[in-house]
Amino acid sequence: MPDAYLLLSYGGPDKPEDIVPFLRNATGGRGIPDERLEEVGEHYHLFGGKSPINELNRRLMANLAEELRKRGDDRPIELGNRNWHPYGTEAITKLYEGGARNIRAITTAAYSSYSSCRQYREDIARWMGELGYEDLAIEKVGPYWDTPGFYAATKNAVKAALDEACDCARLVFVTHSIPTAMNEASGRTEPLTYEAQHLDLAGRLAADLGVADWDLVYCSRSGAPHIPWLEPDVCDHLEGLAERGVRSVVLAPIGFISDHMEVLFDLDTEAKAKAEELNMGFVRAATIDDDPRFISQLADLLENPGSTSYSAESCWSGPNPPTVPAVGED
């Protein structure tokens, strides 16, 4: 039985001078020159030189804590990041010094792949080794993309966007791209690959909403251009739809739980600009981090991790895939 909870996420810069140090962390010591990192991080300056992810996660944590309190569960909860403050070590230390000896962790990544599941397990193991707390145990909740609360919140967001758009709008589901090798590896010990997880969810949503024709596309590709990643890219796909005569789209970011940089820049900035260039109507479905059904689902998982069909150990556990995403936010 846990005596504390931990919300794990990717992290992001809080101010302009954080951008390059954050990207050094995110690229994992690959020796990428700072000049290149400055180029990669240029889009943060469109939003005040910061990512919204830390603020959004603090709000998510507060909403989750309030839901737990309503249930009579007053166990402490902290936020810990992979790549920026508050780091996982900082959050674990705070909980440990407050008396926690059994911590249950959940991530802001709903799907199962190396970077969204197993890498967090590796993070926890590394942090535990660094801290040396021999009397501390940390249990990670598994992926939750297939849980009822996640589904209900996502369906509500997609329906609202479809209601806002014209009847002719094409429904386009969007998620974070990953290397194809990582996608293939994600299915070696799991029922579905990362891509198949999204296709399963999108298919069920479309059927329930009465949508016959829909697409799954990707955003936020990073890394070396010769490494194949999941496609099509969202902007490329919009061009293809326009050539086929589609005049309006609804983008549903089912791969993201909140409006962090991948949503604000890749979709609300780049994809929206592409749609305007193509004279195409554009509606973007909301993300689900404030939906009470999603918050309740996360609370259920913290109190009973068996309520997801994926255990933490279900994440692929073989050798590291050839490439992991260099930059991105969960």
Side-chain angles (χ1 to χ4, degrees), residues 1-23:
M1 177 67 67
D3 45 31
Y5 300 127
L6 179 62
L7 179 65
L8 293 177
S9 194
Y10 193 87
D14 289 313
K15 53 187 181 299
E17 50 266 42
D18 295 342
I19 295 173
V20 170
F22 159 74
L23 291 175

Side-chain angles (χ1 to χ4, degrees), residues 275-289:
E276 290 174 352
E277 173 190 323
L278 298 168
N279 196 29
M280 181 181 285
F282 179 94
V283 175
R284 198 265 289 173
T287 49
I288 63 172
D289 61 340

